[in-house]
Amino acid sequence: MNYIIIFIASLLTGLILSAVHVILPWLFGPIIATVLLKKFTSREYRWPKWLSEIGLYILGAQIGASFTKEIVADIQDELLYIILISIFVILLAIMISFVLKRFLNCSLETAILASIPGALNQMIVMAEENKNANLLVVTLAQTLRILIVVLTVPFISSLLPEGVHRATISQTPSMVEALNMQTILLLIGAMVIAGYLYRCIHFPVPDMMGPITVLMIWNLTTGINFMIPTPLIILAQMCFGIRIGLQLYDLSYQINRQLFIGVLIQNLLLIIGTFIIVYIMNLFMHESFNDLFLSAAPGGMAQIIIVGLETGANVAMISSYHIFRIFIILLVVTPLLSIYLNYKARHI
């Protein structure tokens, strides 16, 4: 009954926000509805993890379906810019960690692990393993950053010129129009298996990476392009919005004033710094400023993709930047951080 109540309240709130043309109504609607239900009713609301995972699979499928041969060719031409922007954003985050360290009077380990964008799970694991890191601060800072990005980036993005991909998307047939039921079921099975394999190797956001990988391979080998039906995208946003709303309410009781202000300053500096980086890089590129900003934005990939879908941005381009940043964090930043923190711990 609690699941039904929270879903219906989220649906109604989303419809109201959509009617008054609020940006991201199907994300913010569930967030608002969930917080209000938790605040003003006595029921103990929970949201099944598997429903959130289904939402991520749908968003991953939408991203994967966006990777056409033409888009991949464009991305290959801009590989150098993808590398540079990813590195600049990570370096910016590390520099800002020194500001967080001074403001919160915490250890450098805590500040660095709390600042690296787009790698929540990895940073929390490293905080658990490092005796000088404050696990609570790292967890709250990383989670709060996602919420701050969700609340700020959409409004910044809405002020920028929209992308040019809405028309292209509308001309692409829906999955149910382009494929027969047997093929759809085979693709769903392959996406679930791929997600499971990513989860086994502890890769970030496995529920998104599985569908992305499968549908990228499908598009590049068959050339049969399709888009995920709009009602499924709305459902994915609702599942994700309810999850964020529950997190937001639970976090509100754990965050003190100093921590909130410190993380808020950290994230505003990250967003402003990213804006400046994108502005400079855009002088040498021919992409939409909105596409570039969302590609570099220091948030979780799922949240940024939702914003990209709403603003008509190039979803494939945005996700490619974020995926590449995840690889840099996994293959370069995390090992180097681990070596540095272990060295520092041995010499204290």
Side-chain angles (χ1 to χ4, degrees):
M1 181 58 69
N2 288 346
Y3 298 159
I4 295 173
I5 291 173
I6 203 170
F7 182 82
I8 292 176
S10 299
L11 180 62
L12 292 175
T13 310
L15 286 170
I16 292 170
L17 295 185
S18 179
V20 297
H21 306 291
V22 172
I23 189 171
L24 295 180
W26 301 110
L27 181 66
F28 286 127
I31 292 174
I32 294 170
T34 302
V35 170
L36 292 178
L37 284 174
K38 290 278 285 184
K39 180 72 175 176
F40 296 109
T41 65
S42 58
R43 287 179 175 270
E44 187 65 26
Y45 294 100
R46 290 285 182 269
W47 191 244
K49 186 179 180 182
W50 61 269
L51 277 176
S52 299
E53 291 172 352
I54 287 176
L56 289 176
Y57 269 97
I58 295 172
L59 291 175
Q62 174 70 12
I63 296 168
S66 303
F67 275 96
T68 62
K69 292 180 180 179
E70 294 78 15
I71 291 292
V72 171
D74 291 341
I75 291 171
Q76 287 176 341
D77 294 338
E78 296 184 353
L79 186 58
L80 175 61
Y81 294 113
I82 294 176
I83 295 172
L84 288 176
I85 289 178
S86 299
I87 291 174
F88 288 154
V89 171
I90 292 171
L91 290 176
L92 174 67
I94 293 174
M95 288 189 291
I96 292 174
S97 68
F98 290 93
V99 177
L100 186 67
K101 174 183 180 298
R102 179 178 293 272
F103 188 87
L104 295 182
N105 195 27
C106 62
S107 66
L108 182 60
E109 291 88 338
T110 300
I112 292 177
L113 294 175
S115 300
I116 300 297
L120 184 148
N121 293 335
Q122 283 62 41
M123 297 304 109
I124 289 176
V125 169
M126 291 181 66
E128 289 173 338
E129 296 173 349
N130 191 288
K131 63 181 182 180
N132 294 316
N134 187 319
L135 178 60
L136 177 63
V137 172
V138 173
T139 303
L140 290 177
Q142 286 279 358
T143 308
L144 193 60
R145 181 176 62 246
I146 292 175
L147 298 174
I148 291 173
V149 166
V150 166
L151 295 173
T152 57
V153 169
F155 293 102
I156 297 173
S157 179
S158 67
L159 300 176
L160 301 175
E162 286 198 357
V164 295
H165 300 271
R166 283 194 187 276
T168 304
I169 289 173
S170 63
Q171 294 170 5
T172 305
S174 169
M175 178 175 64
V176 294
E177 298 171 340
L179 307 174
N180 59 44
M181 185 55 64
Q182 182 180 3
T183 305
I184 291 174
L185 292 175
L186 285 173
L187 283 176
I188 292 173
M191 288 188 283
V192 171
I193 292 171
Y196 174 77
L197 293 176
Y198 276 118
R199 189 180 298 276
C200 288
I201 62 174
H202 305 290
F203 197 86
V205 217
D207 301 321
M208 289 187 74
M209 288 304 303
I212 289 172
T213 304
V214 169
L215 290 188
M216 274 187 66
I217 294 173
W218 167 270
N219 278 353
L220 297 179
T221 54
T222 67
I224 302 175
N225 302 327
F226 57 84
M227 301 307 294
I228 306 302
T230 300
L232 286 180
I233 300 299
I234 290 174
L235 177 64
Q237 294 185 44
M238 289 182 62
C239 289
F240 213 73
I242 292 171
R243 176 182 174 183
I244 292 174
L246 290 172
Q247 289 176 339
L248 179 61
Y249 185 84
D250 293 339
L251 276 176
S252 65
Y253 288 96
Q254 303 178 52
I255 300 172
N256 58 49
R257 185 166 175 263
Q258 185 178 14
L259 176 60
F260 177 79
I261 294 174
V263 174
L264 180 62
I265 291 172
Q266 172 210 34
N267 284 284
L268 290 177
L269 288 175
L270 257 177
I271 292 170
I272 293 170
T274 300
F275 197 92
I276 294 170
I277 290 171
V278 170
Y279 180 82
I280 295 172
M281 295 298 293
N282 196 43
L283 298 175
F284 305 95
M285 303 175 68
H286 303 288
E287 296 291 345
S288 156
F289 191 89
N290 183 46
D291 289 350
L292 273 181
F293 176 68
L294 291 176
S295 297
M301 184 166 70
Q303 295 86 348
I304 301 300
I305 290 302
I306 291 175
V307 179
L309 289 170
E310 182 71 16
T311 57
N314 186 337
V315 173
M317 171 186 163
I318 295 168
S319 56
S320 66
Y321 275 70
H322 283 268
I323 291 169
F324 188 83
R325 188 163 72 201
I326 287 174
F327 274 110
I328 289 181
I329 291 171
L330 279 179
L331 302 178
V332 180
V333 177
T334 300
L336 289 178
L337 264 181
S338 182
I339 293 170
Y340 167 73
L341 295 179
N342 289 334
Y343 173 83
K344 192 170 181 291
R346 287 196 304 267
H347 291 78
I348 291 179

